[in-house]
Amino acid sequence: MTNRLSRRGALKAVISAGTMAMIEPAFVSQPSSPLTIGSTPVEVAVRTVSASTVRVTILPSNNAAGILPNSDGALVDRDWGPPIAPSRSPEGELSFRSGKLNISILRDPLTIAVARDNGNPVQKLSIEEEIRFSIDGGVLLGLGQGGPQFDRRGQVDSMVSGQGGYELGTHGARVPIQFLISTAGWGMFVHSPIGQFDLRGDMGRLHSFAPGSAFDVFIIVGGKPTEILGEYASITGLPEMPPLWSFGYQQSHRTLDSPDAILSEARTFREKKLPCDAMIYLGTGFCPNGWNTDNGEFAWNARAFPDPPKAIEQLHRDHFKVVLHIVLEGTTLTGSVNDRCTASPLPSGRTADGHWPPDRQVSCYWPFHKLLADLGVDGWWPDQGDRLDASSRLARIRMYFEGQQMYRPNQRVYALHRNGYAGMQRYAAFLWSGDVLSKWETLKTHIPVAINTGLSGIPFWGTDIGGFIPTEEYTGELFARWFQFAAFCPLFRAHGRDWKLHRPWGWSTGEIGYPETPSYHPSPQELHNPSIEPICRKYLELRYRLMPYIYSAARETCDSGVPMMRALWLHDPDDPAAVARGDEYLFGRDLLVAPVFEQGASRRSLYLPRGRWYDFWTHEMHEGGREITRAVDLGTIPLYVRAGAGLPMGPLKQYTSEQVDGAITVTVFPEADGSSSLYEDDGETFNFRNGQYMRLDMHWQDSARKLTLALARGARMLRSAPLQIQLKVAGAEREIHVAFKGDPVTISL
């Protein structure tokens, strides 16, 4: 972990050095009286985080040490610096400057106003028995996963985590992240307290604030939307890079058949040549026959896995990763894997009387995982934990990231979580949306859910393909449409009850697997639908061919904090129609995805932002800045590529690490200048931190019809042989083969 800390340390040094130059207090005379909230004396501390971000902390005056509320783990580990203004105020107004921002503090009621350096107001906080804040102008986004969509304005959100919140069936589990971002150009991260956001009316309100408690908020004033997200990443951390295989297809199982059938299920993928990277196994407790003896336990179930080492060896030989479902309940989980275990011995699951221990230490719980790691288990699926408090949810996520590295120090970690908290991205955490219903409305709603989750700093997200609980709406058509959507999510994973209908070939076998939904009775004709498997194959193959683009987008996310699934607003903030659009998104910078979410649809209306766009399937060019309608059949969803992009695609693989012959194909979409990149590393280790990566920068000059290829600064060639690239222009037949050896080259197209 040394190099990671060095990178963060370097960032901290730069920020700290910059902070000293930004302090420009405008009021230096002796204050006359303490500030109060009601009758409670308080201390106000304003700290410069960057030229465009300030941290405002309000503490009761009896907190003589001025201790900042940092203990929940959400914030990056850095020196936040001293306050830049007096903590008391004269009878009038205290004004001072922080970077590019003007700050004012007034009393009666205590009010903190933030304006741009040109004087334009951005945010005003009024702190009394509740906290009021400005929400003028713009669409309000963020606030984590779930809850009312798309624009948060006009809603009340209690910030309650778990499956018991707002409209679970269609909107998914709630993972509250108190980061509110406005398309008017500002962001606000309320670090403390966790409260209820009331976004009705002209002013927003944060309830659950008591005058004797701490209030800690970061206010970001942005230029570009991507800069706001970058500032948030400087507060809670940049995402960590997951392994390459985690972006491949993952097949989840529920009630298992015989041991032979389990291995045969995996071999079927290879025999059918349906690409897949991971087999995921549920635990016994949520199904009659899972991988273990019961939920929360780490002992193998002999009915399913009589010889676990042999089964894992066979799955690895067939080039599958093995991921196991792990359940933990309780209310608190504290500490880290490096602490000394000081608690009394507890079982991994329930106690002898059938209860879950409410409190655990990470250092006492993590060692239960070692036997599984020693057997070669590749990833974890930590389920449940809805009752864990915020810091415990983050401690659990951190546990899997740091714990696995105790056993495999230079291997990246995969863990798929159902709960989360601000800062979880630092631990390469994946999140899925919980136990949703198999309904068309769920599929439709999950498009804006994905956008808001990404804008909240959680980039690696996905769903149970097809929905978790079947309803009368669950058909092969719905599964196919959901599969298409999931092919353009960071997490590409099928899971759900009646699980055999969640396989790519599941709608042609006539069987649903162990029946788990008494109210679900699909027609025999629906269970013999030969049209679904070819559609799944089409999008599996497309996903794997797009892996160079997808993996490059993941690297960009880890470098910038900008999510992989992006609101149109992020790259088109001056296009009002794009800003307001929540039923489509960008996957990476250059690929626009408009999932089909209506039963029986033959057409899909969508908006193309300003500029020129190309239909991915036909290469037909369209002028943007307008609504268009695209004809669709069941095998097609609208995909569009931004003009100026160089879209990299690789040869077809059956799993991400497969070594196959074939060049990288880069298709240039003309009619605009543009820049793109292709990123590669070993896909497994942290060696990229030491410069062991290749990033190829591609610059297209449209008027000259020339493409320049060059290694990015700090990058290197990883292969002993040249990188084989097949170049072409969309709509043209000519192709040019380039053997790129590392030196810059310009090609006329």
Side-chain angles (χ1 to χ4, degrees):
M1 299 298 295
T2 303
N3 293 312
R4 181 67 166 179
L5 292 175
S6 296
R7 186 166 78 96
R8 302 293 188 188
L11 176 64
K12 181 177 76 173
V14 171
I15 293 172
S16 297
T19 297
M20 298 306 295
M22 297 175 197
I23 301 173
E24 300 178 27
F27 183 89
V28 293
S29 64
Q30 182 66 29
S32 60
S33 61
L35 294 166
T36 61
I37 300 176
S39 60
T40 304
V42 296
E43 306 283 338
V44 178
V46 179
R47 289 173 169 82
T48 297
V49 177
S50 74
S52 55
T53 301
V54 294
R55 182 181 188 179
V56 178
T57 307
I58 300 175
L59 300 169
S61 293
N62 58 14
N63 183 355
I67 298 173
L68 289 172
N70 292 342
S71 60
D72 64 0
L75 307 182
V76 295
D77 183 14
R78 58 176 274 193
D79 180 5
W80 295 99
I84 63 173
S87 61
R88 298 184 173 203
S89 170
E91 296 303 323
E93 176 181 340
L94 171 65
S95 298
F96 54 96
R97 187 173 174 83
S98 171
K100 298 178 181 179
L101 307 179
N102 295 317
I103 316 295
S104 299
I105 302 177
L106 302 89
R107 60 171 68 241
D108 301 325
L110 176 58
T111 301
I112 299 165
V114 180
R116 299 179 188 270
D117 52 6
N118 61 8
N120 290 338
V122 175
Q123 187 54 262
K124 182 168 70 173
L125 302 172
S126 178
I127 301 98
E128 296 180 90
E129 295 177 353
E130 64 180 9
I131 298 165
R132 293 185 297 162
F133 54 93
S134 301
I135 55 173
D136 291 342
V139 178
L140 297 177
L141 302 170
L143 292 186
Q145 175 187 270
Q149 303 293 322
F150 160 65
D151 189 349
R152 304 291 195 175
R153 185 181 300 277
Q155 306 294 335
V156 177
D157 197 321
S158 296
M159 296 283 107
V160 175
S161 180
Q163 302 252 118
Y166 180 90
E167 299 292 344
L168 167 66
T170 52
H171 290 62
R174 193 71 179 94
V175 177
I177 306 293
Q178 296 194 153
F179 179 49
L180 186 66
I181 184 168
S182 170
T183 61
W186 57 266
M188 183 173 72
F189 175 52
V190 180
H191 177 223
S192 177
I194 295 176
Q196 181 189 76
F197 279 74
D198 184 346
L199 302 177
R200 301 172 296 183
D202 296 331
M203 295 285 288
R205 289 173 168 80
L206 179 67
H207 302 292
S208 300
F209 173 66
S213 64
F215 174 53
D216 193 31
V217 63
F218 294 80
I219 299 171
I220 302 168
V221 180
K224 298 178 181 178
T226 52
E227 293 173 353
I228 299 176
L229 293 181
E231 289 293 309
Y232 177 71
S234 75
I235 298 165
T236 63
L238 287 166
E240 182 56 88
M241 196 72 174
L244 172 62
W245 68 261
S246 65
F247 296 108
Y249 178 68
Q250 303 174 35
Q251 181 63 61
S252 184
H253 302 68
R254 287 185 63 81
T255 297
L256 298 172
D257 295 328
S258 68
D260 289 342
I262 293 170
L263 298 178
S264 175
E265 193 76 35
R267 284 196 298 271
T268 300
F269 276 94
R270 300 296 179 237
E271 292 167 357
K272 285 178 169 285
K273 294 192 178 300
L274 293 166
C276 183
D277 264 85
M279 296 282 111
I280 307 178
Y281 299 108
L282 186 72
T284 306
F286 288 146
C287 69
N289 194 38
W291 78 266
N292 60 359
T293 52
D294 199 1
N295 276 338
E297 298 183 6
F298 288 73
W300 291 86
N301 169 18
R303 291 176 297 155
F305 291 94
D307 191 343
K310 182 179 179 180
I312 292 175
E313 181 184 2
Q314 180 61 55
L315 289 165
H316 284 168
R317 192 158 50 242
D318 290 336
H319 304 286
F320 291 100
K321 303 296 184 182
V322 179
V323 179
L324 298 183
H325 172 258
I326 306 291
V327 168
L328 176 69
E329 295 285 16
T331 54
T332 58
L333 181 67
T334 56
S336 74
V337 295
N338 296 310
D339 296 338
R340 186 169 65 90
C341 175
T342 60
S344 301
L346 288 172
S348 61
R350 297 177 180 85
T351 57
D353 59 358
H355 293 91
W356 290 89
D359 307 309
R360 293 183 190 268
Q361 293 179 11
V362 165
S363 56
C364 303
Y365 176 64
W366 172 250
F368 286 109
H369 296 73
K370 187 176 188 304
L371 290 177
L372 299 179
D374 289 345
L375 283 176
V377 170
D378 302 285
W380 314 97
W381 175 15
D383 198 358
Q384 300 295 96
D386 286 6
R387 294 186 299 137
L388 292 172
D389 61 31
S391 60
S392 297
R393 298 195 296 274
L394 191 58
R396 189 186 189 193
I397 291 170
R398 178 183 177 186
M399 175 185 71
Y400 281 95
F401 183 73
E402 295 180 344
Q404 182 165 314
Q405 291 180 71
M406 294 174 68
Y407 312 137
R408 304 169 192 167
N410 195 30
Q411 279 200 330
R412 294 183 227 171
V413 179
Y414 174 77
L416 173 60
H417 297 271
R418 194 171 86 176
N419 285 286
Y421 185 49
M424 63 184 288
Q425 68 275 5
R426 299 199 303 271
Y427 308 115
F430 277 75
L431 178 72
W432 96 99
S433 64
D435 297 348
V436 299
L437 295 174
S438 302
K439 297 175 71 73
W440 288 98
E441 185 65 24
T442 307
L443 176 57
K444 176 182 179 180
T445 304
H446 270 55
I447 301 168
V449 167
I451 293 171
N452 274 321
T453 303
L455 288 172
S456 304
I458 304 173
F460 306 129
W461 178 92
T463 67
D464 289 345
I465 296 176
F468 178 72
I469 301 175
T471 73
E472 69 283 354
E473 297 182 27
Y474 190 41
T475 61
E477 180 190 2
L478 178 57
F479 181 76
R481 289 302 191 195
W482 209 310
F483 202 92
Q484 294 163 353
F485 167 58
F488 298 95
C489 297
L491 175 68
F492 189 21
R493 165 187 177 262
H495 176 68
R497 291 181 181 171
D498 304 292
W499 77 270
K500 292 192 176 182
L501 294 180
H502 293 262
R503 302 171 301 176
W505 63 88
W507 293 90
S508 60
T509 67
E511 60 175 348
I512 66 173
Y514 185 87
E516 298 182 280
T517 313
S519 61
Y520 179 59
H521 303 288
S523 68
Q525 294 87 350
E526 195 61 48
L527 297 180
H528 292 278
N529 186 342
S531 68
I532 305 305
E533 182 178 338
I535 294 171
C536 293
R537 177 185 299 278
K538 175 180 176 179
Y539 285 88
L540 281 169
E541 292 181 349
L542 179 57
R543 170 76 170 210
Y544 277 74
R545 288 211 60 212
L546 278 169
M547 197 58 67
Y549 174 80
I550 294 169
Y551 197 59
S552 300
R555 181 70 258 168
E556 181 188 1
T557 288
C558 294
D559 289 338
S560 67
V562 177
M564 296 177 70
M565 300 178 76
R566 305 178 184 182
L568 302 188
W569 165 65
L570 283 181
H571 295 295
D572 296 277
D574 298 325
D575 185 339
V579 169
R581 201 77 187 213
D583 65 346
E584 58 191 80
Y585 60 94
L586 295 168
F587 194 46
R589 186 180 69 93
D590 294 323
L591 192 59
L592 186 148
V593 183
V596 178
F597 46 76
E598 293 181 352
Q599 185 176 13
S602 60
R603 309 182 74 80
R604 169 63 150 98
S605 295
L606 64 132
Y607 181 78
L608 292 177
R610 294 169 182 168
R612 290 174 174 170
W613 295 83
Y614 286 81
D615 188 307
F616 174 84
W617 305 107
T618 67
H619 288 181
E620 179 185 0
M621 189 186 72
H622 297 265
E623 291 288 345
R626 63 192 180 98
E627 186 100 4
I628 67 169
T629 299
R630 212 284 190 186
V632 295
D633 56 27
L634 183 56
T636 306
I637 64 169
L639 301 173
Y640 289 85
V641 186
R642 188 189 303 273
L647 185 68
M649 298 179 69
L652 178 61
K653 297 182 177 183
Q654 295 303 306
Y655 47 94
T656 52
S657 62
E658 185 179 19
Q659 300 299 308
V660 300
D661 293 331
I664 297 289
T665 299
V666 175
T667 303
V668 176
F669 293 81
E671 300 300 325
D673 292 343
S675 297
S676 305
S677 67
L678 170 64
Y679 175 84
E680 290 183 354
D681 57 31
D682 63 23
E684 298 178 356
T685 73
F686 294 103
N687 290 343
F688 63 86
R689 296 176 181 169
N690 302 319
Q692 297 291 326
Y693 66 88
M694 190 280 296
R695 180 182 278 117
L696 180 64
D697 286 341
M698 301 179 285
H699 300 284
W700 171 249
Q701 186 180 356
D702 193 67
S703 60
R705 304 282 289 189
K706 290 183 178 180
L707 181 69
T708 299
L709 307 177
L711 285 176
R713 179 178 296 180
R716 64 182 67 179
M717 297 296 291
L718 298 180
R719 316 176 187 202
S720 57
L723 176 63
Q724 304 299 323
I725 305 174
Q726 202 74 14
L727 298 175
K728 57 184 180 180
V729 175
E733 295 184 2
R734 183 187 180 203
E735 294 188 6
I736 295 179
H737 184 85
V738 175
F740 182 74
K741 300 177 181 179
D743 296 324
V745 59
T746 298
I747 303 100
S748 295
L749 293 172

